[in-house]
Amino acid sequence: MFTTFSLAVILDCTVRIVLGTALGALIGLERQLRARSAGIRTNALVALGSTLFVLANPLFRAIGSFIDCRRSINDYETVGHEYTFEVRCLQQHEVKIRSLVFDAVHRPGFSVRSIAATDLPDDIVSITAVLDTTKRNDADIEKSIEAVIQTPEVLGVRWDVEHITTSD
């Protein structure tokens, strides 16, 4: 019924649970022998709960990633696309434009890597956003920055896409 890998995983989890509970009971035994509160049962149950919580962490991470619609840590070892936006504006409008860029790139399907501003000559600021997606869809990118493009304070907008493959 079980493959070798599944049996190894079950055995590993079982050993961790038994070992965690036994070590908690050992600490409880020491406390009970010294007539302190929280003896064998309490420490064994706390250690069992902690062990189960640590073992369930990958499950919680996958559920959280699904709910959050962002990529999980394991997805970074896949093929994807990196979009780079550069928006230029006058320094006096930086706060407003940075807010527009922030709202534009924080959308489902995008994983924002960074947003940074760089001062340029003649009181011009370049706001650059770098994001990752698992699939290339230029129409979604254009829709996401439409509000930025149509803002009169924006001097220029440039975006670029690069196909990336990571393997660790």
Side-chain angles (χ1 to χ4, degrees):
M1 178 78 186
F2 294 110
T3 64
T4 306
F5 178 72
S6 294
L7 186 58
V9 170
I10 291 171
L11 184 62
D12 180 56
C13 288
T14 304
V15 167
R16 288 174 188 242
I17 290 169
V18 169
L19 187 61
T21 305
L23 290 174
L26 187 62
I27 292 170
L29 177 64
E30 182 271 333
R31 290 189 57 82
Q32 191 166 340
L33 290 176
R34 293 183 184 218
R36 305 267 169 91
S37 62
I40 294 174
R41 288 181 297 190
T42 303
N43 279 286
L45 286 174
V46 168
L48 173 64
S50 299
T51 303
L52 291 174
F53 183 78
V54 169
L55 288 175
N57 185 24
L59 175 65
F60 293 144
R61 185 176 297 203
I63 291 170
S65 177
F66 176 75
I67 291 171
D68 200 19
C69 297
R70 294 183 186 168
R71 297 183 336 169
S72 69
I73 277 184
N74 296 331
D75 290 341
Y76 283 99
E77 299 176 357
T78 61
V79 176
H81 296 86
E82 177 184 273
Y83 284 91
T84 305
F85 296 103
E86 182 182 350
V87 179
R88 293 185 180 204
C89 66
L90 291 176
Q91 194 171 25
Q92 64 214 32
H93 303 296
E94 177 185 355
V95 174
K96 176 183 178 183
I97 303 304
R98 188 191 300 233
S99 175
L100 285 173
V101 170
F102 183 85
D103 291 340
V105 298
H106 282 86
R107 299 171 69 98
F110 298 149
S111 176
V112 179
R113 191 182 307 168
S114 67
I115 298 177
T118 307
D119 291 333
L120 300 174
D122 300 325
D123 291 330
I124 295 176
V125 176
S126 173
I127 302 167
T128 305
V130 179
L131 20 132
D132 297 328
T133 63
T134 54
K135 64 177 185 163
R136 180 173 179 165
N137 191 339
D138 296 344
D140 283 347
I141 298 298
E142 289 286 342
K143 286 179 190 174
S144 70
I145 61 169
E146 185 175 356
V148 177
I149 293 170
Q150 295 177 355
T151 304
E153 292 87 2
V154 172
L155 300 175
V157 176
R158 180 188 74 79
W159 65 267
D160 189 25
V161 62
E162 181 181 330
H163 181 79
I164 55 171
T165 305
T166 59
S167 58
D168 293 333

